[in-house]
Amino acid sequence: MTVNTPVDVTAVRAIITDILELEDDELTGTSLFVDDHGADSLGAIEILSRIEKELGVVIPQDDLVRLTHLDAVLEVLATAERRQP
């Protein structure tokens, strides 16, 4: 079931900037992880994994290709399922 999940933008930004080794002001909503920040496919997988673990959500593997920039990550998270406790 898909639900409208509140998104902790600050936490998401912190995860992404940590993994991509960026300063906070280097990450914009539309800056591309690969083209603008030099991320590789493992970086995208790590972003997905950390977000799931730290925010307690489940993101389908099919959505991995959509995680190209911050705004896209936030869109995916808005419909992500909460993990069952």
Side-chain angles (χ1 to χ4, degrees), residues 8-77:
D8 184 344
V9 178
T10 302
V12 173
R13 286 185 70 87
I15 291 167
I16 294 170
T17 55
D18 181 51
I19 291 169
L20 299 181
E21 299 178 352
L22 301 172
E23 295 297 323
D24 189 59
D25 62 348
E26 293 178 284
L27 180 65
T28 68
T30 57
S31 60
L32 300 172
F33 299 153
V34 173
D35 295 340
D36 297 327
H37 302 301
D40 56 19
S41 59
L42 292 177
I45 293 169
E46 188 175 353
I47 289 169
L48 173 76
S49 175
R50 288 255 316 263
I51 287 172
E52 285 186 327
K53 181 179 179 183
E54 293 183 24
L55 301 183
V57 295
V58 177
I59 300 171
Q61 291 293 320
D62 293 347
D63 284 340
L64 182 61
V65 297
R66 294 179 54 200
L67 306 180
T68 57
H69 54 78
L70 176 61
D71 287 349
V73 172
L74 297 175
E75 286 175 19
V76 168
L77 282 174

